[in-house]
Amino acid sequence: TLHFQVHDMRHSFDEKYDAIFNLFTSFGYFENDDDHLKTLIAIKESLTEYGFGVIDFMNVNNVVANLVPEETKTVDNIDFHIKRYHIDGYIYKEIDFDDDGQKFHFTEKVRAFTLQDFQELMTEAGIYLLDIFGDYKLKKFHKTDSERLIMIFK
């Protein structure tokens, strides 16, 4: 009975929900930091009185400490050349490959939000952070060791 909608997450829904999930580091891609705040406010405004939000984000401290600067992965006889770097508060991933004589280049850029950054944004948005976890098994969050930063809030 799931229903999916395409929706700009910076805007509130007309309807209220018991839960809203933002998963797999689907946050932090806006160029303008105000849009990140607008997103949190929209989530809050779209929750029922007893509803909660969940943001699953990478643990930036762990990602930066373990960043693999360059690697090549081969899939279906195509070599994907991947570069990763952290600069000016963003984590970048550049992917280059050739397919049928055509060159392709893609860049992914995500804001390197830490727990403290999220806490500041949530305070500004009037959000109460209920709990924090470090992985999908809901283990305690450790700033340096956890793979994920999973936040439950209202």
Side-chain angles (χ1 to χ4, degrees), residues 63-105:
V63 168
V64 170
N66 296 292
L67 203 63
V68 176
E70 291 189 39
E71 69 177 320
T72 299
K73 291 185 177 183
T74 303
V75 178
D76 294 333
N77 295 319
I78 298 174
D79 293 330
F80 294 88
H81 305 283
I82 303 167
K83 292 182 183 177
R84 296 177 188 88
Y85 50 95
H86 176 238
I87 190 167
D88 295 331
Y90 289 87
I91 295 174
Y92 291 83
K93 179 165 66 173
E94 294 187 28
I95 303 169
D96 290 287
F97 64 95
D98 296 336
D99 186 28
D100 288 331
Q102 189 174 358
K103 292 184 180 287
F104 293 89
H105 175 84

Side-chain angles (χ1 to χ4, degrees), residues 57-65 86 91 111-114 149:
F57 200 74
M58 66 181 150
N59 177 6
V60 167
N61 297 308
N62 182 279
V63 168
V64 170
H86 176 238
I91 295 174
R111 189 84 156 74
F113 284 118
T114 63
L149 170 58

Side-chain angles (χ1 to χ4, degrees), residues 123-140:
T123 296
E124 195 171 345
I127 287 173
Y128 178 71
L129 186 56
L130 295 168
D131 216 337
I132 306 161
F133 299 100
D135 64 19
Y136 299 126
K137 294 181 181 178
L138 305 182
K139 291 182 184 170
K140 182 178 177 182

Side-chain angles (χ1 to χ4, degrees), residues 30-42:
F30 295 115
E31 287 291 329
N32 183 340
D33 277 339
D34 288 342
D35 288 329
H36 298 113
L37 179 60
K38 286 178 188 176
T39 298
L40 289 175
I41 291 169

